[in-house]
């Protein structure tokens, strides 16, 4: 009773003096910045905070995110201002200021990162509502994908209402004369299988996901398009280059485990590095010009929303600059799908598939993306939508791309296995000499993930023979948040040529910063060192992505690092079978224009290049890891301590 009275007293005595204002009162679109000003806080604490709420009637504990008032330089005067870019969540926002002190920290009330969640006992003031001008109506989060038909392009987007929307498109920007109607889908709270996804903290109305297919496209031509309707308004005009089966050059940007960054703190830690990944890929896409197409592959662990619904909105807003220009293809990862209620739980997998989807159970992933193919599985929810986008393939130029699911049944005898087998067996090698398979959890890695040993063994037992027999060229995996390239490999043994020994790469380095460590010496757990076995040709810890460039004779994979946007490792794979590792055989690579020591080192002729590469990779990994950890408080004395085993 006493607390209740004193809270009342605080609110009534303090809130009358504290003022808050926002400017502007209306934002036009996602990414626009709001400035929140306050004054009159009589005894400011360094824990006083600004809560961001949407919809405005959300209870105090159900914020979207928060910022400490100490972000404003003169906070100690009791006045200040904070500016933040906001994403349209299809409902209004409000902002509330709370007083909070060290003595009120509740050590049991923590975020996912083990930081205390802010206390909500002393509300000082609340702002007016902030509106997005075209809030419900305007289509946002535009992203493209290939369909099963070569001369088509799919476009998906989100709106607040389910009224009719269309895509209009054409070769001339001023004359978008071709129109297709979009189909709208949505999912409900009851389709989520658990908290936080189905709790009042994590759930927000996801709006309508619209899906339209642009048809009868000519190959390799630049098209302009716009989505929306006359009645409800149009998106901006975007453009893409259509798929070209006969193109001389195939280009892809590939990575796993990216996530997104938010301009506020929230219940889960965001992925700051993902901003650089998107920035450099956008640079590469813009350099392509008007007649070259490309594709993006994000091979699992997509947004890391894990049940906090608005993180999906933040993610799609962040990728829109690239995903509205090139098709954005995905694989399912543990953070989209895994939950104990899911139907796939063989006895060997009891430690493999955990709770990493935060109760989403693959539903947002299945509704917000629509990949080629027709794969689906039941979810653990009796009436929930099926999980889709599990396995599919397409040809682009000289490469046959295959996407698979490591989160659902891939064993011999299953539906997915049959798909992979018949797909690989039916590749036309004169059309696509190269085959690139992608999945989330790695078949090969030298990182210590004891929990994943069983699945690696099953993948080697069931899938590897298919890859080997059908001459898969490259296998790309995520899940481990690092870059690692292997020799051409089969049954743990290095081979010479990729036919019969696919080149495996782990590319889960796009942004998620919790890292499983490399394999330490098992007999010295107190002084761990991390030897690099011969089969691992290059290990890197710098965030980034890989660029794939292929023609009929050669496929090149380059590892681009986020800190300088330059190439740190290269492997060239010739159609004839040769795998040229670590450097460029003719000594010049038009894609690398770099003054950095790394790139220069690659031009040193001779055998020492490989050795240098190995050493460099090792140290780059070591230093960037140390840097990261000192920021997040997960290391003590710079030692390699496993951050959080389940967090991959
Ligand atoms: C928002 O849109 C209105 C109307 O189109 C325009 O006048 C205004 O300048 C825009 N504001 C910003 C911040 O872009
Ligand atoms: C677009 O519409 C025009 C006029 O109806 C038609 O001639 C053309 O074939 C259409 N193009 C596509 C890509 O559908
Ligand atoms: C969330 O899911 C769990 C498990 O299915 C269920 O017990 C609970 O009632 C659900 N909560 C809501 C609010 O639907
Ligand atoms: C997709 O699969 C469903 C069920 O397996 C089937 O009914 C449907 O015809 C398939 N659609 C296509 C386009 O193959
Ligand atoms: C395989 O591809 C080549 C080159 O594109 C083409 O000429 C040939 O008809 C294709 N074969 C089959 C069986 O589709
Ligand atoms: C795989 O490559 C080897 C060596 O080039 C060749 O002999 C074999 O026929 C190929 N297998 C298939 C299924 O393409
Ligand atoms: C894989 O290697 C192991 C041990 O080196 C060997 O026992 C096994 O027969 C090999 N399997 C295949 C399919 O070659």
């Amino acid at each position: 009773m006493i607390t209740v009275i004193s809270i009342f007293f605080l609110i009534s005595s303090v809130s009358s003096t504290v003022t808050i204002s926002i400017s502007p009162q209306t934002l036009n679109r996602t990414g626009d910045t709001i400035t929140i000003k306050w004054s009159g806080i009589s005894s400011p604490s360094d824990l006083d905070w600004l809560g961001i709420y949407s919809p405005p009637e959300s209870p105090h504990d159900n914020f979207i995110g928060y910022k400490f008032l100490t972000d404003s330089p003169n906070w100690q005067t009791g006045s200040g201002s904070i500016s933040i870019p906001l994403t349209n969540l299809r409902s209004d926002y409000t902002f509330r200021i709370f007083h909070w002190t060290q003595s009120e920290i509740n050590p049991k009330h923590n975020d996912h990162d083990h930081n205390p969640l802010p206390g909500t006992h002393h509300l000082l003031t609340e702002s007016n509502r902030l509106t997005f001008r075209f809030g419900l109506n305007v289509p946002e989060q535009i992203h493209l994908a290939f369909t099963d038909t070569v001369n088509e392009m799919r476009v998906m987007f989100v709106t607040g209402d389910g009224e009719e929307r269309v895509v209009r498109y054409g070769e001339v920007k001023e004359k978008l004369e071709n129109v297709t109607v979009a189909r709208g889908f949505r999912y409900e709270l009851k389709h989520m299988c658990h908290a936080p996804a189905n709790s009042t903290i994590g759930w927000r109305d996801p709006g309508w996901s619209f899906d339209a297919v642009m048809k009868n496209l000519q190959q390799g031509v630049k098209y302009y398009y716009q989505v929306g309707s006359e009645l409800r308004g149009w998106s901006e005009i975007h453009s893409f280059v259509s798929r070209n089966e006969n193109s001389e050059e195939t280009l892809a940007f590939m990575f796993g485990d990216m996530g997104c960054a938010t301009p506020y703190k929230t219940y889960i830690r965001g992925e700051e590095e993902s901003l650089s990944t998107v920035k450099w890929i956008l640079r590469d896409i813009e350099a392509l010009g008007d007649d070259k197409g490309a594709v993006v592959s994000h091979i699992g662990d997509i947004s890391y929303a894990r049940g906090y619904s608005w993180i999906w909105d933040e993610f799609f807003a962040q990728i829109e600059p690239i995903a509205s220009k090139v098709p954005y293809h995905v694989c399912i990862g543990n953070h989209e799908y895994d939950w104990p209620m899911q139907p796939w739980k063989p006895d060997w997998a009891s430690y493999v598939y955990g709770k990493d989807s935060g109760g989403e159970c693959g539903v947002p992933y299945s509704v917000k993306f629509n990949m080629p193919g027709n794969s689906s599985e039941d979810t653990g929810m009796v009436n929930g939508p099926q999980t889709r986008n599990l396995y599919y393939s397409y040809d682009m130029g000289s490469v046959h791309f295959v996407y698979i699911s490591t989160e659902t049944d891939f064993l011999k005898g299953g539906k997915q296995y049959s798909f992979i087998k018949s797909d690989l067996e039916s590749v036309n090698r004169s059309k696509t000499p190269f085959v690139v398979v992608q999945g989330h959890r790695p078949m090969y890695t030298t990182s210590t993930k004891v929990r994943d040993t069983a699945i690696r063994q099953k993948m080697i037992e069931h899938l590897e023979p298919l890859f080997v027999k059908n001459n898969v060229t490259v296998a790309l995996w995520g899940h481990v948040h690092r870059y690692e390239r292997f020799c051409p490999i089969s049954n743990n043994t290095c081979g010479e040529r990729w036919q019969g020994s696919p080149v495996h790469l782990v590319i889960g380095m796009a942004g998620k910063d919790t890292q499983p460590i490399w394999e330490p010496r098992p007999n010295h757990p107190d002084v761990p060192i991390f030897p690099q076995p011969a089969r691992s040709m290059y290990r890197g810890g710098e965030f980034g992505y890989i660029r794939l460039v292929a023609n009929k004779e050669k496929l090149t994979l380059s590892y681009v690092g986020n800190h300088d946007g330059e190439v740190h490792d290269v492997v060239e794979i010739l159609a004839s079978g040769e795998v040229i590792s670590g450097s460029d055989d003719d000594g010049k690579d038009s894609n690398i224009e770099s003054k950095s020591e790394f790139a220069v080192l690659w031009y040193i002729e001779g055998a020492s290049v490989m050795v240098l590469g190995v050493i460099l990779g090792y140290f780059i990994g070591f230093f960037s890891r140390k840097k990261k950890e000192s920021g997040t408080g997960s290391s003590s004395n710079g030692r390699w301590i496993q951050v959080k085993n389940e967090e991959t």
Side-chain angles (χ1 to χ4, degrees):
M1 201 54 190
I2 290 172
T3 7
V4 173
I5 291 168
S6 61
I7 289 167
F8 261 96
F9 177 72
L10 253 172
I11 291 174
S12 52
S13 71
V14 182
S15 67
S16 57
T17 62
V18 178
T19 61
I20 186 169
S21 65
I22 56 171
S23 164
Q25 304 287 325
T26 304
L27 296 182
N28 285 348
R29 58 178 56 84
T30 288
D32 287 355
T33 295
I34 181 82
T35 298
I36 301 113
K37 288 199 173 96
W38 67 91
S39 63
I41 300 178
S42 50
S43 49
S45 149
D46 61 0
L47 291 181
D48 291 347
W49 57 282
L50 172 76
I52 302 163
Y53 292 86
S54 180
E57 51 278 4
S58 304
H60 292 343
D61 283 336
N62 296 6
F63 45 74
I64 293 292
Y66 64 96
K67 295 190 74 90
F68 288 112
L69 300 191
T70 53
D71 284 4
S72 178
N74 298 321
W75 65 273
Q76 276 163 315
T77 65
S79 312
S81 77
I82 283 177
S83 296
I84 356 172
L86 287 180
T87 292
N88 179 4
L89 299 178
R90 302 164 298 278
S91 58
D92 292 351
Y93 280 88
T94 58
F95 304 89
R96 302 176 199 163
I97 288 179
F98 293 90
H99 184 57
W100 188 37
T101 58
Q102 293 289 342
S103 65
E104 293 172 311
I105 289 176
N106 176 356
K108 295 214 179 83
H109 190 48
N110 287 331
D111 69 14
H112 206 256
D113 201 23
H114 305 296
N115 297 310
L117 282 165
T120 53
H121 287 313
H122 317 298
L123 175 70
L124 300 183
T125 182
E126 174 162 10
S127 76
N128 295 335
R129 288 172 169 231
L130 168 74
T131 305
F132 274 87
R133 191 179 303 271
F134 311 108
L136 280 175
N137 299 341
V138 70
E140 295 205 331
Q141 310 183 19
I142 294 167
H143 51 106
L144 301 170
F146 291 142
T147 72
D148 284 313
T149 305
V150 173
N151 61 2
E152 293 182 349
M153 184 69 86
R154 183 184 304 281
V155 56
M156 294 190 74
F157 53 93
V158 171
T159 65
D161 67 77
E163 298 300 313
E164 184 177 273
R165 299 296 200 288
V166 303
V167 53
R168 57 183 189 189
Y169 57 103
E171 288 178 54
V172 181
K173 194 173 182 182
E174 293 72 29
K175 204 163 153 232
L176 306 178
E177 59 181 355
N178 301 85
V179 178
T180 329
V181 174
R183 293 209 297 156
F185 301 88
R186 54 173 288 125
Y187 56 90
E188 309 295 342
L189 181 144
K190 64 172 194 265
H191 298 141
M192 303 286 103
C193 60
H194 210 276
N198 77 354
S199 71
T200 53
I201 288 191
W203 173 260
R204 294 293 184 282
D205 188 316
W208 287 76
S209 290
F210 276 92
D211 183 332
V213 176
M214 295 174 258
K215 296 184 188 307
N216 302 319
L217 308 176
Q218 297 177 59
Q219 296 193 27
V221 168
K222 182 169 182 176
Y223 282 91
Y224 294 90
Y225 72 99
Q226 186 175 38
V227 296
S229 70
E230 256 349 301
L231 211 57
R232 311 236 147 197
W234 296 99
S235 71
E236 285 173 48
I237 297 177
H238 299 278
S239 68
F240 62 88
V241 176
S242 58
R243 178 149 58 138
N244 185 356
E245 278 201 301
N246 308 309
S247 74
E248 284 299 302
E249 194 171 57
T250 306
L251 200 68
F253 305 102
M254 317 174 97
F255 53 83
D257 309 78
M258 185 165 78
C260 63
T262 56
Y264 46 76
K265 294 178 189 298
T266 184
Y267 308 93
I268 46 179
R269 192 171 75 239
E271 292 74 38
E272 285 301 313
E273 280 281 346
S274 63
L275 293 170
S276 300
T277 309
V278 169
K279 177 186 76 178
W280 294 118
I281 292 176
L282 188 58
R283 167 200 64 176
D284 289 350
I285 290 172
E286 283 170 350
L288 292 178
D290 281 351
D291 56 349
K292 277 190 195 162
V295 65
V296 167
S297 269
H298 185 163
I299 58 175
D301 288 5
I302 310 289
S303 72
Y304 285 95
R306 288 160 288 170
Y308 297 95
S309 137
W310 62 93
I311 301 296
W312 279 108
D313 296 294
E314 299 281 5
F315 170 79
F316 279 107
Q318 185 174 319
I319 65 161
E320 190 189 65
I322 58 178
S324 60
K325 294 184 179 64
V326 301
Y328 198 95
H329 279 267
V330 289
C331 285
I332 199 163
N334 49 311
H335 283 295
E336 283 72 60
Y337 185 77
D338 289 14
W339 197 263
M341 284 154 80
Q342 298 288 35
W344 165 242
K345 36 187 153 206
D347 53 3
W348 51 265
S350 48
Y351 295 103
V352 175
Y353 303 115
K355 295 185 165 182
D356 293 338
S357 80
E360 290 184 1
C361 288
V363 173
Y365 170 82
S366 301
V367 174
K368 289 171 182 292
F369 291 106
N370 187 359
M371 293 294 119
N374 191 26
S375 57
S376 67
E377 291 286 346
D378 290 337
T379 61
M381 292 303 287
V382 178
N383 296 314
Q386 297 230 309
T387 310
R388 62 180 188 181
N389 310 323
L390 295 169
Y391 43 87
Y392 59 96
S393 67
Y394 56 82
D395 289 344
M396 190 184 170
S398 54
V399 181
H400 180 71
F401 290 99
V402 186
Y403 296 73
I404 67 174
S405 159
T406 56
E407 307 312 294
T408 54
D409 186 359
F410 56 83
L411 304 186
K412 252 178 232 165
K415 275 191 298 182
Q416 176 167 216
Y417 181 91
S418 311
F419 165 82
I420 299 171
K421 183 167 186 294
S422 64
D423 184 80
L424 292 179
E425 285 172 353
S426 61
V427 175
N428 179 348
R429 301 310 281 238
S430 33
K431 187 168 163 233
T432 54
F434 300 109
V435 174
V436 175
V437 178
Q438 302 151 83
H440 183 60
R441 292 186 201 239
M443 189 182 288
Y444 288 102
T445 167
T446 60
S447 106
T448 41
K449 282 281 291 174
V450 177
R451 205 169 68 135
D452 280 343
T453 311
I455 191 172
R456 289 206 296 271
Q457 283 165 354
K458 291 292 170 190
M459 287 170 73
I460 288 182
E461 181 188 335
H462 291 256
L463 293 178
E464 187 175 53
L466 278 184
F467 291 11
V468 167
K469 182 156 174 286
N470 293 291
N471 292 339
V472 166
T473 314
V474 174
L476 299 172
W477 313 105
H479 197 59
V480 174
H481 302 149
R482 302 225 161 188
Y483 173 81
E484 183 166 33
R485 176 167 58 81
F486 287 85
C487 60
I489 198 167
S490 167
N491 196 17
N492 283 301
T493 309
C494 288
E496 295 283 311
R497 299 153 57 81
W498 58 264
Q499 288 96 340
S501 304
V503 176
H504 287 250
L505 286 87
V506 174
I507 55 169
M509 70 306 196
K512 187 64 193 173
D513 54 9
T514 45
Q515 299 281 15
I517 54 179
W518 303 124
E519 200 158 2
R521 289 183 295 182
N523 48 350
H524 291 290
D526 52 333
V527 194
I529 66 161
F530 303 89
Q532 184 171 18
R535 64 181 183 281
S536 167
M537 309 296 283
Y538 189 104
R539 301 201 294 199
E542 184 172 340
F543 291 97
Y545 59 98
I546 65 167
R547 236 169 13 211
L548 176 154
V549 182
N551 57 27
K552 283 247 164 48
E553 286 75 47
K554 183 167 86 170
L555 180 150
T556 306
L557 297 170
S558 311
Y559 164 36
V560 182
N562 274 353
H563 289 176
D564 53 11
E566 287 169 7
V567 173
H568 294 201
D569 181 43
V570 180
V571 60
E572 291 186 338
I573 299 172
L574 306 187
S576 59
E578 216 179 329
V579 177
I580 302 165
S581 180
S583 87
D584 199 52
D585 56 342
D586 64 2
K588 53 180 189 307
D589 185 331
S590 56
N591 286 326
I592 307 177
E593 283 195 53
S594 156
K595 283 162 229 74
S596 92
E597 58 179 318
F598 305 116
V600 173
L601 281 169
W602 295 121
Y603 299 124
I604 299 171
E605 295 286 320
S608 65
V609 171
M610 264 327 297
V611 178
L612 261 174
V614 169
I615 295 169
L616 260 178
Y618 180 72
F619 280 104
I620 291 165
F622 182 77
F623 288 126
S624 49
R625 176 177 177 80
K626 273 184 75 169
K627 192 165 148 254
K628 280 273 150 259
E629 286 195 336
S630 60
T632 58
S634 49
S635 96
S636 54
N637 319 324
R639 279 237 231 105
W640 292 53
I641 290 169
Q642 202 141 354
V643 182
K644 218 148 135 255
N645 206 7
E646 69 280 17
E647 199 29 69
T648 35

